[in-house]
Amino acid sequence: MSQETRARDTVAILAHVPDRELAAYSLDHLMELSPEMRGGAILEGSEVLAATGEKAEWGNSAAALLASADADSGSAEQVHVATEAGEVFALREGDLAAVAVTERFVLASLMAFDMRATLRDLGAGGPRTDGAAAGAD
């Protein structure tokens, strides 16, 4: 294998992998969009790319939530659980997932829209700076 082929293959492999710093920026951006968020995490598969707290705790909790949601349907795209203490959202977009814990009575459709837009933007290279949402094109 030539160095040129190896370099081209490496670039192609890394082109779709979100950067941890970019994931952290995307999570911060989501929290700015959704001030009622208490915390959250962005994952790729089972790997936590960014979290507002301990990554291992977010990873374990997110995995348990998604596994529970998948038990009946096979692969849940979106999860919303509301309790007296607050609400939890989990959303998948391709290989990425976002989990958010919010205050009670957050507007679920807006939270899901913001989470999906954040994941789409991250998958496309990061949050857009022109003010347009990824899903609004």
Short mmCIF file of all heavy atoms in Angstrom, two decimals, residues 3-51:
data_model
loop_
_atom_site.label_atom_id
_atom_site.label_comp_id
_atom_site.label_asym_id
_atom_site.label_seq_id
_atom_site.Cartn_x
_atom_site.Cartn_y
_atom_site.Cartn_z
N GLN A 3 1.99 5.24 0.44
CA GLN A 3 1.73 6.27 1.44
C GLN A 3 0.56 7.15 1.02
O GLN A 3 -0.25 7.57 1.85
CB GLN A 3 2.99 7.13 1.67
CG GLN A 3 4.13 6.40 2.30
CD GLN A 3 3.80 5.97 3.73
OE1 GLN A 3 2.83 6.39 4.34
NE2 GLN A 3 4.64 5.11 4.28
N GLU A 4 0.46 7.42 -0.28
CA GLU A 4 -0.63 8.25 -0.79
C GLU A 4 -1.98 7.57 -0.55
O GLU A 4 -2.93 8.20 -0.10
CB GLU A 4 -0.43 8.52 -2.28
CG GLU A 4 -1.52 9.39 -2.88
CD GLU A 4 -1.29 9.59 -4.37
OE1 GLU A 4 -0.14 9.75 -4.79
OE2 GLU A 4 -2.30 9.59 -5.09
N THR A 5 -2.06 6.28 -0.84
CA THR A 5 -3.32 5.55 -0.62
C THR A 5 -3.65 5.50 0.86
O THR A 5 -4.79 5.71 1.26
CB THR A 5 -3.19 4.11 -1.17
OG1 THR A 5 -2.87 4.19 -2.56
CG2 THR A 5 -4.48 3.34 -0.98
N ARG A 6 -2.65 5.23 1.69
CA ARG A 6 -2.87 5.18 3.14
C ARG A 6 -3.37 6.53 3.66
O ARG A 6 -4.30 6.59 4.45
CB ARG A 6 -1.59 4.77 3.85
CG ARG A 6 -1.79 4.67 5.36
CD ARG A 6 -0.55 4.16 6.07
NE ARG A 6 -0.35 2.77 5.72
CZ ARG A 6 0.84 2.24 5.48
NH1 ARG A 6 1.93 2.96 5.58
NH2 ARG A 6 0.95 0.97 5.18
N ALA A 7 -2.76 7.61 3.20
CA ALA A 7 -3.17 8.95 3.64
C ALA A 7 -4.60 9.25 3.19
O ALA A 7 -5.39 9.78 3.95
CB ALA A 7 -2.21 10.01 3.09
N ARG A 8 -4.94 8.89 1.96
CA ARG A 8 -6.28 9.14 1.45
C ARG A 8 -7.31 8.33 2.24
O ARG A 8 -8.37 8.84 2.60
CB ARG A 8 -6.35 8.79 -0.04
CG ARG A 8 -7.66 9.15 -0.69
CD ARG A 8 -7.70 8.89 -2.19
NE ARG A 8 -7.38 7.51 -2.51
CZ ARG A 8 -6.31 7.11 -3.21
NH1 ARG A 8 -5.44 8.00 -3.66
NH2 ARG A 8 -6.09 5.85 -3.46
N ASP A 9 -7.01 7.06 2.54
CA ASP A 9 -7.92 6.22 3.32
C ASP A 9 -8.09 6.76 4.73
O ASP A 9 -9.19 6.75 5.27
CB ASP A 9 -7.41 4.78 3.38
CG ASP A 9 -7.52 4.08 2.03
OD1 ASP A 9 -8.25 4.59 1.15
OD2 ASP A 9 -6.88 3.03 1.86
N THR A 10 -7.01 7.23 5.34
CA THR A 10 -7.08 7.79 6.69
C THR A 10 -7.97 9.02 6.71
O THR A 10 -8.81 9.18 7.59
CB THR A 10 -5.68 8.14 7.21
OG1 THR A 10 -4.89 6.95 7.20
CG2 THR A 10 -5.74 8.70 8.62
N VAL A 11 -7.81 9.88 5.73
CA VAL A 11 -8.64 11.09 5.65
C VAL A 11 -10.10 10.71 5.49
O VAL A 11 -10.98 11.27 6.14
CB VAL A 11 -8.17 12.01 4.51
CG1 VAL A 11 -9.18 13.11 4.24
CG2 VAL A 11 -6.80 12.59 4.83
N ALA A 12 -10.40 9.73 4.65
CA ALA A 12 -11.78 9.30 4.43
C ALA A 12 -12.38 8.73 5.70
O ALA A 12 -13.55 8.97 6.01
CB ALA A 12 -11.84 8.27 3.30
N ILE A 13 -11.61 7.97 6.44
CA ILE A 13 -12.10 7.38 7.69
C ILE A 13 -12.38 8.48 8.71
O ILE A 13 -13.40 8.48 9.37
CB ILE A 13 -11.08 6.37 8.26
CG1 ILE A 13 -11.02 5.13 7.36
CG2 ILE A 13 -11.43 5.98 9.69
CD1 ILE A 13 -9.86 4.22 7.66
N LEU A 14 -11.47 9.41 8.85
CA LEU A 14 -11.61 10.46 9.85
C LEU A 14 -12.61 11.54 9.46
O LEU A 14 -13.07 12.28 10.32
CB LEU A 14 -10.26 11.09 10.14
CG LEU A 14 -9.23 10.16 10.79
CD1 LEU A 14 -7.91 10.88 10.97
CD2 LEU A 14 -9.73 9.62 12.11
N ALA A 15 -12.99 11.62 8.20
CA ALA A 15 -13.89 12.67 7.75
C ALA A 15 -15.25 12.60 8.43
O ALA A 15 -15.89 13.61 8.64
CB ALA A 15 -14.05 12.61 6.24
N HIS A 16 -15.70 11.41 8.80
CA HIS A 16 -17.03 11.28 9.39
C HIS A 16 -17.01 11.20 10.91
O HIS A 16 -18.06 11.16 11.53
CB HIS A 16 -17.74 10.05 8.82
CG HIS A 16 -17.23 8.76 9.39
ND1 HIS A 16 -16.06 8.20 8.99
CD2 HIS A 16 -17.73 7.97 10.36
CE1 HIS A 16 -15.86 7.09 9.68
NE2 HIS A 16 -16.85 6.92 10.51
N VAL A 17 -15.84 11.20 11.52
CA VAL A 17 -15.74 11.08 12.98
C VAL A 17 -15.77 12.47 13.61
O VAL A 17 -14.88 13.27 13.39
CB VAL A 17 -14.43 10.35 13.39
CG1 VAL A 17 -14.31 10.28 14.88
CG2 VAL A 17 -14.40 8.96 12.78
N PRO A 18 -16.81 12.77 14.40
CA PRO A 18 -16.86 14.08 15.05
C PRO A 18 -15.72 14.26 16.04
O PRO A 18 -15.37 13.35 16.77
CB PRO A 18 -18.21 14.08 15.78
CG PRO A 18 -19.00 13.01 15.12
CD PRO A 18 -18.00 12.00 14.65
N ASP A 19 -15.15 15.42 16.04
CA ASP A 19 -14.08 15.79 16.95
C ASP A 19 -14.67 16.02 18.34
O ASP A 19 -15.75 16.58 18.47
CB ASP A 19 -13.45 17.07 16.39
CG ASP A 19 -12.37 17.62 17.25
OD1 ASP A 19 -12.70 18.41 18.15
OD2 ASP A 19 -11.21 17.27 17.02
N ARG A 20 -13.97 15.59 19.39
CA ARG A 20 -14.47 15.77 20.76
C ARG A 20 -14.65 17.26 21.10
O ARG A 20 -15.61 17.63 21.75
CB ARG A 20 -13.52 15.12 21.76
CG ARG A 20 -13.56 13.63 21.73
CD ARG A 20 -12.59 13.06 22.77
NE ARG A 20 -12.54 11.64 22.68
CZ ARG A 20 -13.43 10.81 23.22
NH1 ARG A 20 -14.44 11.29 23.88
NH2 ARG A 20 -13.31 9.51 23.08
N GLU A 21 -13.73 18.08 20.66
CA GLU A 21 -13.83 19.51 20.93
C GLU A 21 -15.05 20.10 20.21
O GLU A 21 -15.79 20.91 20.77
CB GLU A 21 -12.56 20.22 20.47
CG GLU A 21 -12.51 21.68 20.86
CD GLU A 21 -11.17 22.30 20.51
OE1 GLU A 21 -10.13 21.67 20.74
OE2 GLU A 21 -11.19 23.44 20.01
N LEU A 22 -15.28 19.66 18.99
CA LEU A 22 -16.44 20.11 18.23
C LEU A 22 -17.73 19.60 18.89
O LEU A 22 -18.73 20.32 18.95
CB LEU A 22 -16.35 19.63 16.79
CG LEU A 22 -17.38 20.16 15.82
CD1 LEU A 22 -17.40 21.68 15.80
CD2 LEU A 22 -17.07 19.62 14.43
N ALA A 23 -17.71 18.37 19.40
CA ALA A 23 -18.88 17.83 20.09
C ALA A 23 -19.16 18.64 21.36
O ALA A 23 -20.32 18.94 21.67
CB ALA A 23 -18.67 16.36 20.43
N ALA A 24 -18.11 19.02 22.08
CA ALA A 24 -18.29 19.83 23.30
C ALA A 24 -18.87 21.20 22.94
O ALA A 24 -19.77 21.70 23.61
CB ALA A 24 -16.96 19.99 24.04
N TYR A 25 -18.38 21.78 21.86
CA TYR A 25 -18.91 23.06 21.39
C TYR A 25 -20.38 22.91 21.00
O TYR A 25 -21.21 23.77 21.31
CB TYR A 25 -18.07 23.57 20.21
CG TYR A 25 -18.58 24.88 19.67
CD1 TYR A 25 -18.30 26.09 20.31
CD2 TYR A 25 -19.36 24.91 18.53
CE1 TYR A 25 -18.78 27.29 19.82
CE2 TYR A 25 -19.85 26.11 18.03
CZ TYR A 25 -19.56 27.30 18.68
OH TYR A 25 -20.04 28.48 18.19
N SER A 26 -20.71 21.81 20.33
CA SER A 26 -22.09 21.56 19.91
C SER A 26 -23.01 21.40 21.12
O SER A 26 -24.13 21.90 21.12
CB SER A 26 -22.16 20.31 19.03
OG SER A 26 -21.47 20.51 17.83
N LEU A 27 -22.53 20.72 22.15
CA LEU A 27 -23.32 20.55 23.37
C LEU A 27 -23.53 21.91 24.05
O LEU A 27 -24.64 22.22 24.49
CB LEU A 27 -22.65 19.57 24.32
CG LEU A 27 -23.39 19.26 25.62
CD1 LEU A 27 -24.79 18.73 25.36
CD2 LEU A 27 -22.57 18.28 26.46
N ASP A 28 -22.49 22.71 24.11
CA ASP A 28 -22.63 24.07 24.67
C ASP A 28 -23.65 24.89 23.88
O ASP A 28 -24.46 25.61 24.45
CB ASP A 28 -21.29 24.80 24.68
CG ASP A 28 -20.32 24.27 25.71
OD1 ASP A 28 -20.76 23.55 26.64
OD2 ASP A 28 -19.12 24.55 25.59
N HIS A 29 -23.59 24.76 22.56
CA HIS A 29 -24.52 25.47 21.69
C HIS A 29 -25.96 25.01 21.96
O HIS A 29 -26.88 25.83 22.03
CB HIS A 29 -24.13 25.24 20.23
CG HIS A 29 -24.96 25.99 19.25
ND1 HIS A 29 -24.92 27.35 19.11
CD2 HIS A 29 -25.89 25.55 18.35
CE1 HIS A 29 -25.76 27.73 18.17
NE2 HIS A 29 -26.37 26.65 17.70
N LEU A 30 -26.16 23.70 22.13
CA LEU A 30 -27.48 23.17 22.44
C LEU A 30 -27.98 23.73 23.76
O LEU A 30 -29.15 24.11 23.88
CB LEU A 30 -27.46 21.64 22.49
CG LEU A 30 -28.76 20.95 22.90
CD1 LEU A 30 -29.89 21.29 21.94
CD2 LEU A 30 -28.55 19.44 22.98
N MET A 31 -27.10 23.84 24.74
CA MET A 31 -27.51 24.38 26.04
C MET A 31 -27.87 25.87 25.94
O MET A 31 -28.74 26.34 26.66
CB MET A 31 -26.45 24.10 27.10
CG MET A 31 -26.37 22.60 27.38
SD MET A 31 -25.52 22.13 28.87
CE MET A 31 -26.61 22.77 30.11
N GLU A 32 -27.22 26.59 25.04
CA GLU A 32 -27.58 27.99 24.80
C GLU A 32 -28.95 28.09 24.14
O GLU A 32 -29.75 28.97 24.48
CB GLU A 32 -26.54 28.67 23.92
CG GLU A 32 -25.24 28.96 24.61
CD GLU A 32 -24.20 29.56 23.67
OE1 GLU A 32 -24.59 30.05 22.57
OE2 GLU A 32 -23.02 29.53 24.01
N LEU A 33 -29.22 27.18 23.19
CA LEU A 33 -30.51 27.16 22.51
C LEU A 33 -31.64 26.78 23.46
O LEU A 33 -32.78 27.21 23.28
CB LEU A 33 -30.50 26.16 21.35
CG LEU A 33 -29.67 26.49 20.14
CD1 LEU A 33 -29.65 25.30 19.18
CD2 LEU A 33 -30.20 27.73 19.44
N SER A 34 -31.33 25.95 24.44
CA SER A 34 -32.33 25.38 25.35
C SER A 34 -31.94 25.69 26.79
O SER A 34 -31.40 24.84 27.50
CB SER A 34 -32.41 23.87 25.14
OG SER A 34 -32.61 23.56 23.78
N PRO A 35 -32.23 26.90 27.26
CA PRO A 35 -31.80 27.30 28.60
C PRO A 35 -32.43 26.49 29.73
O PRO A 35 -31.94 26.52 30.85
CB PRO A 35 -32.21 28.78 28.69
CG PRO A 35 -33.22 28.98 27.62
CD PRO A 35 -32.94 27.96 26.56
N GLU A 36 -33.49 25.73 29.42
CA GLU A 36 -34.09 24.89 30.45
C GLU A 36 -33.36 23.55 30.63
O GLU A 36 -33.72 22.75 31.48
CB GLU A 36 -35.58 24.65 30.15
CG GLU A 36 -35.88 24.03 28.82
CD GLU A 36 -35.84 25.00 27.64
OE1 GLU A 36 -36.25 26.16 27.78
OE2 GLU A 36 -35.36 24.59 26.58
N MET A 37 -32.29 23.33 29.85
CA MET A 37 -31.49 22.11 30.01
C MET A 37 -30.68 22.19 31.29
O MET A 37 -30.05 23.20 31.59
CB MET A 37 -30.51 21.95 28.84
CG MET A 37 -31.06 21.14 27.70
SD MET A 37 -29.81 20.89 26.39
CE MET A 37 -28.67 19.76 27.17
N ARG A 38 -30.69 21.11 32.05
CA ARG A 38 -29.85 20.98 33.24
C ARG A 38 -28.50 20.38 32.88
O ARG A 38 -27.50 20.66 33.54
CB ARG A 38 -30.52 20.10 34.27
CG ARG A 38 -31.79 20.65 34.85
CD ARG A 38 -32.34 19.67 35.85
NE ARG A 38 -33.66 20.08 36.30
CZ ARG A 38 -34.50 19.27 36.91
NH1 ARG A 38 -34.16 18.01 37.14
NH2 ARG A 38 -35.68 19.71 37.29
N GLY A 39 -28.50 19.53 31.88
CA GLY A 39 -27.26 18.87 31.47
C GLY A 39 -27.52 17.96 30.29
O GLY A 39 -28.68 17.73 29.91
N GLY A 40 -26.46 17.45 29.71
CA GLY A 40 -26.63 16.56 28.57
C GLY A 40 -25.32 15.94 28.12
O GLY A 40 -24.26 16.19 28.69
N ALA A 41 -25.44 15.12 27.09
CA ALA A 41 -24.28 14.43 26.53
C ALA A 41 -24.51 14.17 25.05
O ALA A 41 -25.65 14.06 24.60
CB ALA A 41 -24.03 13.12 27.26
N ILE A 42 -23.42 14.07 24.32
CA ILE A 42 -23.45 13.67 22.92
C ILE A 42 -22.58 12.43 22.81
O ILE A 42 -21.46 12.39 23.30
CB ILE A 42 -22.93 14.79 22.00
CG1 ILE A 42 -23.88 15.99 22.06
CG2 ILE A 42 -22.78 14.28 20.56
CD1 ILE A 42 -23.47 17.18 21.23
N LEU A 43 -23.14 11.41 22.17
CA LEU A 43 -22.46 10.13 22.03
C LEU A 43 -22.35 9.73 20.57
O LEU A 43 -23.17 10.13 19.75
CB LEU A 43 -23.24 9.03 22.76
CG LEU A 43 -23.48 9.21 24.24
CD1 LEU A 43 -24.78 9.95 24.49
CD2 LEU A 43 -23.50 7.87 24.92
N GLU A 44 -21.33 8.94 20.30
CA GLU A 44 -21.22 8.26 19.00
C GLU A 44 -21.15 6.78 19.34
O GLU A 44 -20.16 6.32 19.92
CB GLU A 44 -20.00 8.71 18.22
CG GLU A 44 -19.95 8.03 16.86
CD GLU A 44 -18.82 8.56 16.00
OE1 GLU A 44 -17.75 8.86 16.53
OE2 GLU A 44 -19.04 8.65 14.79
N GLY A 45 -22.21 6.07 19.02
CA GLY A 45 -22.32 4.69 19.46
C GLY A 45 -22.39 4.68 20.98
O GLY A 45 -23.19 5.38 21.58
N SER A 46 -21.49 3.95 21.61
CA SER A 46 -21.47 3.91 23.08
C SER A 46 -20.43 4.85 23.67
O SER A 46 -20.29 4.95 24.89
CB SER A 46 -21.21 2.48 23.56
OG SER A 46 -19.95 2.04 23.09
N GLU A 47 -19.70 5.56 22.81
CA GLU A 47 -18.64 6.46 23.28
C GLU A 47 -19.19 7.87 23.52
O GLU A 47 -19.81 8.46 22.64
CB GLU A 47 -17.52 6.53 22.24
CG GLU A 47 -16.40 7.44 22.64
CD GLU A 47 -15.34 7.56 21.55
OE1 GLU A 47 -15.49 6.95 20.47
OE2 GLU A 47 -14.37 8.29 21.78
N VAL A 48 -18.94 8.39 24.71
CA VAL A 48 -19.38 9.75 25.04
C VAL A 48 -18.36 10.73 24.48
O VAL A 48 -17.20 10.73 24.89
CB VAL A 48 -19.53 9.93 26.57
CG1 VAL A 48 -19.95 11.36 26.89
CG2 VAL A 48 -20.54 8.94 27.13
N LEU A 49 -18.79 11.56 23.54
CA LEU A 49 -17.90 12.55 22.94
C LEU A 49 -17.83 13.81 23.80
O LEU A 49 -16.79 14.45 23.87
CB LEU A 49 -18.39 12.92 21.54
CG LEU A 49 -18.43 11.80 20.51
CD1 LEU A 49 -19.02 12.31 19.20
CD2 LEU A 49 -17.04 11.23 20.28
N ALA A 50 -18.95 14.18 24.41
CA ALA A 50 -19.01 15.38 25.24
C ALA A 50 -20.12 15.20 26.26
O ALA A 50 -21.13 14.56 25.98
CB ALA A 50 -19.28 16.61 24.39
N ALA A 51 -19.92 15.77 27.44
CA ALA A 51 -20.93 15.69 28.50
C ALA A 51 -20.76 16.87 29.44
O ALA A 51 -19.67 17.42 29.57
CB ALA A 51 -20.81 14.38 29.27
#
